[in-house]
Amino acid sequence: MILYDNENLEQQRLKDVTGKTLAALEAGIDDEKLVIALEPEAASIFCQYQEDKRASNERSLLNRTGQKYMIIDLGGGTADITIHERQPKGDDKLPLLKELHHAIGDDCGGTQVDNAFMEVLGEILGQKLITLMKKKQPSSYLELLREFETVKRREITNKNYLRIPLVTINELIEELEQENIDNKIKMSKYKNQIKRNREKLCIDDELMKSFFGPTIERIVSLVKDTSKIKAIRDISLFLLVGGFSECKNVLHALKKALPNKTFIVPEEAGLSVLKGAVIFGHKTSIIGSRFMIYSYGTKVFEPFDPELHEMSRKKKAGGRYICPKIFDFIVMKNDSVPVGTTIKREYLTDEPQQNFMDLDLYKSDSELTKYTNEEGCYRVCEAKIDIPDPSEEQRTVEVEYYFGDTEIRMTAVETDSGKSCKTVWKFI
Ligand SMILES: Nc1ncnc2c1ncn2[C@@H]1O[C@H](COP(=O)(O)OP(=O)(O)OP(=O)(O)O)[C@@H](O)[C@H]1O
Ligand SMILES: [Mg+2]
């Protein structure tokens, strides 16, 4: 099974031991050839690679051994942060990187700017019209978005011109309420900020900036909050990558908010994720270790011990007192796990002739979780492990968990025979 434990903090995908990943399957890619790359990591690798190629540049900061830096990947949907330290080069002369803190992110990407614009347009023309345009005239709707994308990439001036699908808009307005676009603008609270001239809207700088404002503010607070984290407070080099890092206003706002830090937007900042992912695909060991975003564990029970367990959890089972639903840590949040680390756990059968075993994997957002039904602890997948050749004896299954990679994998083996167990994993 593979869980994609990515920096987005939410998305996790899985596959079964013998099968293909869902993504690989859908894309028709051989599973063995599919490697998941984390976006800020990929960008970091590319920036290092670029610096190494310019080895003669003595002013270069990034590729000094021991250099610590923050990579801020500003994309369309999210802003993702990773903190790396440059390690001495490996034998193959490729850079090596160590993660210094687990990845951090928020959903404040460039698309939020588009949404802000569409919201204002919806206020002027009516949300109904926007919905109708999407449904009846999708090409006009896409044209409008594309046009805004072009305007968004330009420097903001007093007058920002945006071409609109005027005929379509007027047709839709008439269909809905016998009006026209100019009246709609006049009746809106934006009448002094937006004017129409033929097929173009002229948007003033204040309104234009307001589309960017909330997203930039959220990016700034995310970076500011991250830079206050004790373990990484001393980091002063910040790299901006991803498409939205090309927006000058983001860089200005960050520099203003954090004047003592050095911000660099490397060459090809928008493409660095993509190019870095290709390098990572050739050598995944460039990243030597990663921090766990969550704690992972299984559910076990223990003989009840009043010193250790909450009284309310005391249960009688099989003639003795136990404490059920204990969170048994496999890895702990904030652990730095070297890539390729494997952790073994043994599980015993409960009864003779038992032919399968259920195993649930839980994740928690704390290092202190004690019980699997505590707040912040969730079951992420359930496994059915077949016991080969069931017998009267108690059997032991050894499960090996692989952590530190961009995916979490597990395999199960029956210890006496050494046979691997057929396992079906179900993602929840
Ligand atoms: N010059 C520019 N000025 C402003 N915004 C820009 C510029 N260039 C690209 N963008 C914005 O960057 C975003 C796309 O960035 P990128 O390609 O890194 O996103 P992504 O990787 O697809 O998204 P995510 O990382 O969130 O999954 C879009 O919102 C786009 O409008
Ligand atoms: Mg991205």
Side-chain angles (χ1 to χ4, degrees):
M1 190 211 78
I2 293 185
L3 271 176
Y4 300 138
D5 189 1
N6 71 12
E7 81 292 357
N8 258 336
L9 312 180
E10 291 129 20
Q11 284 199 340
Q12 298 193 332
R13 316 235 359 222
L14 94 166
K15 69 170 193 177
D16 68 41
V17 179
T18 52
K20 306 272 178 205
T21 60
L22 296 174
L25 192 67
E26 277 169 29
I29 299 169
D30 181 351
D31 176 42
E32 296 307 313
K33 292 187 178 141
L34 182 82
V35 180
I36 305 295
L38 305 181
E39 291 192 330
E41 269 186 18
S44 176
I45 291 167
F46 180 66
C47 294
Q48 286 289 349
Y49 183 78
Q50 245 184 346
E51 285 298 301
D52 279 3
K53 278 208 307 194
R54 283 195 231 111
S56 58
N57 183 355
E58 282 176 10
R59 288 182 307 139
S60 155
L61 286 171
L62 189 63
N63 60 349
R64 287 186 192 158
T65 300
Q67 179 63 266
K68 297 173 183 177
Y69 57 95
M70 197 184 282
I71 291 270
I72 306 160
D73 174 20
L74 304 173
T78 57
D80 298 302
I81 300 183
T82 291
I83 297 98
H84 279 162
E85 180 180 330
R86 168 76 188 227
Q87 305 287 94
K89 274 185 183 173
D91 297 339
D92 54 7
K93 303 273 180 274
L94 276 167
L96 277 177
L97 300 170
K98 179 181 167 194
E99 199 178 58
L100 296 180
H101 192 273
H102 68 68
I104 292 167
D106 200 1
D107 61 343
C108 43
T111 339
Q112 307 275 354
V113 179
D114 313 354
N115 295 345
F117 161 68
M118 287 312 287
E119 241 171 67
V120 166
L121 207 61
E123 272 184 60
I124 296 170
L125 302 175
Q127 203 47 56
K128 249 191 198 163
L129 185 137
I130 306 287
T131 314
L132 199 64
M133 181 164 30
K134 250 193 234 177
K135 204 171 141 200
K136 280 193 150 177
Q137 302 284 354
S139 59
S140 297
Y141 181 75
L142 288 176
E143 193 187 313
L144 188 62
L145 282 182
R146 265 199 302 271
E147 180 63 19
F148 183 71
E149 179 70 32
T150 315
V151 176
K152 184 184 175 189
R153 289 174 186 227
R154 286 192 208 124
E155 196 96 21
I156 298 176
T157 61
N158 292 345
K159 291 179 176 176
N160 305 280
Y161 291 98
L162 178 105
R163 186 178 295 277
I164 49 165
L166 185 64
V167 177
T168 305
I169 289 178
N170 271 332
E171 273 174 16
L172 291 171
I173 293 178
E174 264 183 46
E175 186 180 327
L176 286 169
E177 51 189 323
Q178 302 285 324
E179 269 289 356
N180 68 55
I181 185 165
D182 296 323
N183 281 343
K184 286 267 177 196
I185 295 174
K186 256 187 229 153
M187 285 187 301
S188 80
K189 67 176 184 200
Y190 302 102
K191 62 174 187 276
N192 297 324
Q193 294 177 286
I194 295 188
K195 300 271 179 281
R196 184 185 70 85
N197 187 357
R198 292 170 190 264
E199 296 215 327
K200 284 182 178 170
L201 287 185
C202 175
I203 305 173
D204 81 355
D205 52 349
E206 202 184 309
L207 184 59
M208 200 63 201
K209 279 181 194 155
S210 76
F211 299 147
F212 288 82
T215 308
I216 294 182
E217 269 170 38
R218 284 182 64 197
I219 292 173
V220 168
S221 31
L222 178 70
V223 176
K224 250 177 135 175
D225 291 349
T226 308
S227 66
K228 284 183 201 149
I229 296 172
K230 210 171 156 200
I232 49 176
R233 229 173 7 208
D234 60 330
I235 291 177
S236 60
L237 184 59
F238 290 51
L239 256 67
L240 297 186
V241 296
F244 200 42
S245 72
E246 313 228 357
C247 172
K248 303 272 185 304
N249 295 344
V250 177
L251 179 65
H252 292 159
L254 283 168
K255 278 185 168 171
K256 201 169 151 204
L258 292 155
N260 300 327
K261 308 287 185 185
T262 306
F263 286 92
I264 296 178
V265 183
E267 270 171 52
E268 300 191 271
L271 280 176
S272 56
V273 171
L274 185 69
K275 293 195 172 184
V278 176
I279 303 171
F280 177 70
H282 285 283
K283 194 189 174 220
T284 51
S285 59
I286 284 182
I287 310 287
S289 62
R290 291 190 178 86
F291 271 79
M292 298 307 300
I293 298 174
Y294 296 109
S295 298
Y296 285 92
T298 51
K299 181 173 72 180
V300 297
F301 68 86
E302 285 175 5
F304 189 82
D305 180 343
E307 305 259 311
L308 295 174
H309 306 130
E310 287 169 14
M311 277 316 279
S312 59
R313 293 184 176 267
K314 189 173 175 180
K315 291 263 164 358
K316 198 162 190 184
R320 60 184 179 144
Y321 286 105
I322 61 155
C323 180
K325 297 185 179 165
I326 290 176
F327 184 82
D328 183 31
F329 282 90
I330 304 167
V331 280
M332 202 174 268
K333 179 178 172 174
N334 288 328
D335 273 353
S336 174
V337 180
V339 168
T341 297
T342 61
I343 296 167
K344 291 178 185 170
R345 286 278 189 280
E346 287 190 344
Y347 303 99
L348 302 174
T349 53
D350 297 322
E351 42 192 68
Q353 296 297 338
Q354 189 174 324
N355 57 2
F356 73 91
M357 204 182 255
D358 287 322
L359 183 70
D360 291 343
L361 186 73
Y362 288 80
K363 85 172 184 194
S364 130
D365 57 10
S366 160
E367 300 96 313
L368 304 171
T369 304
K370 280 180 82 176
Y371 304 103
T372 54
N373 56 350
E374 260 174 37
E375 212 184 305
C377 187
Y378 312 91
R379 192 162 60 127
V380 281
C381 84
E382 55 189 28
K384 184 172 170 274
I385 303 173
D386 285 353
I387 314 283
D389 314 317
S391 64
E392 289 300 307
E393 286 90 52
Q394 187 170 47
R395 310 285 290 279
T396 310
V397 170
E398 186 180 80
V399 176
E400 211 166 354
Y401 300 90
Y402 300 79
F403 284 94
D405 296 344
T406 49
E407 305 148 315
I408 299 169
R409 287 180 293 126
M410 301 171 203
T411 53
V413 170
E414 199 278 320
T415 51
D416 286 344
S417 62
K419 283 187 184 168
S420 65
C421 308
K422 184 171 168 272
T423 310
V424 177
W425 300 92
K426 203 170 136 222
F427 181 63
I428 298 162

